[in-house]
Amino acid sequence: MSVNALLRCTIRLHRKHVTTHLVHQRSLSGAEAVNALRPFYLAVHPDFFGQYPRERDVNENSLKRLNGYLENLQKPGSHSVQPMKLTFYVRDTKESSDEQPDPLTSGFRSVSFILHTNDVLSTVMNVLTSCCLPVDHMKGLKASTSKETSKSPPEAQVPFYRPIKWDKSYYTFSGFRDPEQELQQARRVEPTLSLWLRNNEPEATKKYSASLPRREELKRLQKELCHKFNLADIRWQRNWAVAHRCCQLQSLVRLSQQNPEALIHLQGHTVVFADQSGMNASGHVMLGTMDVHNQWIKLLEQLPSYRSLHHQTDWLKERISLLLGGTQVVHMERLGPVQPITEHYSSLRSFHQSLMSQRLHLHPRSLQGLTMLLENDRSRPTLHEMGHFIIPTNCDPPQLQTFLQNHAPEARQRIQRKNQLQAEEEAVVKLCLRSLSLRSVTKEPSVSSSQMILCCRRLLEQHSPLMQGLLICVSHFYSVMQDGDLCVPWDWKS
C-alpha cells in the first residue's frame, strides 16, 4: 500500500466508524479523531520521509498498527485491547521558526511510547502528548463530545460499519501488501522467534517447495532474455511474487516473438518492470506492468532520444562536479520514488545554470569522494546520516559553498562509518548463510546496516535448527510470504 493510499485509507477507515458509544470515555467519533490527530499526521506521514527509507517504513508500519488499535476501540462490544508499543520519527513542523535547525540532523526525532488506553479520546491525547504536539484544540472536543453523549438517542449509538475489502488476488497481482493481513499481525502479541518458527516453518517449507518450478522458470526466462537481447540485467521495482515475475517475462518473450526488431533498442540496457513505462534517472528502461504491448513498443522506439537525454545528464553531472570541487551528483532509486530521466535532467540543468550564474571558489579536488542528491522540494541543504549531501535545486551558490566546506570533514567520517558497517554487514550475512545453512539472507531497504548486523549476530547466537534451508528476509514484522520467504523483525524477541 502506497503512503498516499495509507492516509486515505486511514481517513476512510475512521469516517466509516463515525459513531457515539454508550460509555462516556469512548464518545470521540472517528472523524473527530482524524481531525484531532491532524498535527500528528503532518509530523509523521511517510510522504515527508522520501529520502529516509528506514524512517519512512517505520512510520508507515506504526501508522497501520495505530489504525488497528483505534479500529478495535471503535468496534461495538470491545472492552479492552492489548498494550502496544509504537515508534515514530516525528518531523519538526515549525517551518516559520526563526531558529535554524542543525543542518547535520535530518529534521526529525525518534519517539517511542506504549498505548494502553481503552478509549479513543485518551488514545488521541496519549499520541499527541507523547510526540510533544499541541493539544489545545482538544479542549473543545472534550466538552462537545461530553454534551453529545448525554443527548444522543439510543438508536444513534448503533454504528454503521462496512469496510471495503479487496480480493486477495489484488495484492498477489499488484505486489502491494495486504493491510488487513498486516493489521491482524500487528494485533497479535509478538511471539518469540523460536515459537514463531515452530508454528510457521512447515508452511514456509511447503510454499517454497511449491514455488521451485516457478523459480526455475524465472531463472531460465531471465537468462534467455539477457543473452538473446544483450541486456545488462532484468530487475523489478517491487517485491512481486515469483509467479507474477514469470508472467511479466513471458509477456516480454511474446513481444519479442511478435515484434523482434522492437527489442533491438534494448541492447546494453537494464530492464526494470515498474509501475510506469519510461527511463529512470539511472538510465534503466522501465516497462510498466499495467501497460499493453503497444505502449512498450512506443517506448522502445523512443529509446534513442532517451539515451541522448541520459548522455546529457552525465555531461551536466561532470560539469557540476568540476564546479563543486569534485562532489559527484548521484541518484539513489532505493531512497525514494522513481524519478523519470526527464525530471532528473531538468533538475540538473536548473542547478547547473544556478552555479554558472555566480563564480565559486573551490579547489578542483577539495571535495573529491563526496556525493550529493538534488531535491526540488527541499528548502535548505542537509547532510544525510550515510554521508551524502541533500541539496535543494534552487540553493544559493555561495551558501552552498560554505555549507559543503564546513561539513566536508563530518561527511567523510560518516562515509567511512557507512563503509565499515556495510563491510561488517556483508561478513556477518555470509557467516549466517554458512553457519545456519540458510538458502538466503536479505533485508528490506528500511532496515539499516547496524540493525541487520545486530539481528544476524543474535541469530548466530541462538543457532536454531529450525532455520536450516529457509529464506530469511529481515524486516520489521513477522510474515510468511507467498513463495516461502520468511520475514522476521530485526529486533525479534528471544
Side-chain angles (χ1 to χ4, degrees), residues 47-61:
D47 271 352
F48 297 110
F49 292 80
Q51 292 293 340
Y52 307 98
R54 179 170 64 88
E55 290 81 1
R56 180 188 63 219
D57 283 9
V58 168
N59 279 10
E60 186 167 356
N61 286 323

Side-chain angles (χ1 to χ4, degrees), residues 50-77:
Q51 292 293 340
Y52 307 98
R54 179 170 64 88
E55 290 81 1
R56 180 188 63 219
D57 283 9
V58 168
N59 279 10
E60 186 167 356
N61 286 323
S62 294
L63 275 174
K64 291 175 183 176
R65 299 182 66 197
L66 174 60
N67 294 340
Y69 190 93
L70 289 170
E71 178 187 4
N72 277 340
L73 290 178
Q74 295 177 85
K75 283 185 177 179

Side-chain angles (χ1 to χ4, degrees), residues 317-335:
K317 289 177 181 179
E318 291 177 5
R319 303 306 302 172
I320 291 171
S321 180
L322 290 173
L323 294 171
L324 294 181
T327 306
Q328 295 286 333
V329 178
V330 296
H331 182 78
M332 304 178 188
E333 295 290 351
R334 65 182 180 83
L335 291 184

Side-chain angles (χ1 to χ4, degrees), residues 338-406:
V338 174
Q339 186 181 34
I341 187 69
T342 50
E343 182 182 323
H344 189 49
Y345 170 77
S346 177
S347 298
L348 289 169
R349 186 169 178 269
S350 174
F351 185 67
H352 180 252
Q353 290 176 343
S354 174
L355 293 179
M356 292 295 291
S357 66
Q358 300 185 49
R359 184 176 179 82
L360 300 180
H361 303 282
L362 283 167
H363 188 278
R365 291 183 297 277
S366 60
L367 301 177
Q368 197 85 24
L370 301 181
T371 57
M372 57 183 283
L373 300 177
L374 287 180
E375 274 197 8
N376 292 325
D377 55 355
R378 186 168 288 270
S379 60
R380 56 180 176 268
T382 58
L383 175 59
H384 192 271
E385 63 178 355
M386 303 306 288
H388 59 267
F389 297 106
I390 304 176
I391 307 299
T393 306
N394 60 352
C395 187
D396 177 61
Q399 178 191 357
L400 174 61
Q401 175 177 328
T402 302
F403 178 82
L404 293 176
Q405 290 175 323
N406 289 344

Side-chain angles (χ1 to χ4, degrees), residues 127-377:
V127 171
L128 293 174
T129 54
S130 298
C131 296
C132 298
L133 294 171
V135 294
D136 295 340
H137 62 292
M138 295 293 295
K139 295 177 182 177
L141 276 176
K142 289 181 183 179
S144 62
T145 47
S146 177
K147 293 177 182 178
E148 289 170 6
T149 303
S150 60
K151 294 180 180 180
S152 59
E155 52 269 17
Q157 294 161 354
V158 179
F160 176 74
Y161 176 58
R162 189 175 62 193
I164 297 176
K165 291 187 178 181
W166 295 99
D167 189 86
K168 299 296 181 184
S169 60
Y170 166 76
Y171 300 104
T172 301
F173 177 76
S174 66
F176 293 115
R177 293 172 179 166
D178 185 348
E180 181 182 351
Q181 180 182 354
E182 291 196 355
L183 284 174
Q184 290 173 352
Q185 292 169 348
R187 292 182 195 127
R188 303 190 191 107
V189 178
E190 185 176 309
T192 62
L193 178 62
S194 57
L195 175 60
W196 191 84
L197 286 175
R198 280 199 300 271
N199 293 336
N200 293 277
E201 182 272 335
E203 180 189 359
T205 302
K206 181 179 179 181
K207 286 185 173 182
Y208 173 74
S209 299
S211 73
L212 282 175
R214 294 191 297 271
R215 291 179 186 270
E216 291 300 320
E217 176 70 0
L218 181 66
K219 289 181 182 178
R220 185 190 68 80
L221 289 171
Q222 196 167 359
K223 182 178 180 180
E224 179 183 297
L225 285 166
C226 285
H227 176 73
K228 186 175 181 180
F229 297 102
N230 193 26
L231 303 179
D233 196 9
I234 297 177
R235 303 175 186 173
W236 285 265
Q237 179 186 346
R238 298 188 182 278
N239 190 26
W240 282 298
V242 175
H244 191 38
R245 297 186 184 199
C246 283
C247 289
Q248 293 161 355
L249 292 183
Q250 288 165 355
S251 180
L252 188 58
V253 169
R254 288 195 299 273
L255 176 61
S256 69
Q257 294 168 347
Q258 297 166 1
N259 198 339
E261 63 277 5
L263 270 69
I264 294 176
H265 297 297
L266 279 176
Q267 290 186 5
H269 281 285
T270 293
V271 173
V272 180
F273 288 95
D275 293 336
Q276 59 182 6
S277 295
M279 179 178 281
N280 64 17
S282 300
H284 302 329
V285 179
M286 300 185 296
L287 298 179
T289 57
M290 302 299 290
D291 292 343
V292 296
H293 281 176
N294 284 342
Q295 291 169 298
W296 284 5
I297 291 173
K298 184 177 180 181
L299 165 67
L300 297 177
E301 291 173 346
Q302 295 173 338
L303 279 185
S305 299
Y306 277 117
R307 274 197 294 267
S308 175
L309 195 60
H310 187 242
H311 292 326
Q312 293 179 57
T313 63
D314 288 341
W315 181 85
L316 285 170
K317 289 177 181 179
E318 291 177 5
R319 303 306 302 172
I320 291 171
S321 180
L322 290 173
L323 294 171
L324 294 181
T327 306
Q328 295 286 333
V329 178
V330 296
H331 182 78
M332 304 178 188
E333 295 290 351
R334 65 182 180 83
L335 291 184
V338 174
Q339 186 181 34
I341 187 69
T342 50
E343 182 182 323
H344 189 49
Y345 170 77
S346 177
S347 298
L348 289 169
R349 186 169 178 269
S350 174
F351 185 67
H352 180 252
Q353 290 176 343
S354 174
L355 293 179
M356 292 295 291
S357 66
Q358 300 185 49
R359 184 176 179 82
L360 300 180
H361 303 282
L362 283 167
H363 188 278
R365 291 183 297 277
S366 60
L367 301 177
Q368 197 85 24
L370 301 181
T371 57
M372 57 183 283
L373 300 177
L374 287 180
E375 274 197 8
N376 292 325
D377 55 355

Side-chain angles (χ1 to χ4, degrees), residues 82-93:
Q82 291 288 337
M84 179 183 294
K85 182 178 179 180
L86 296 176
T87 298
F88 286 99
Y89 288 93
V90 183
R91 293 191 312 128
D92 179 13
T93 55

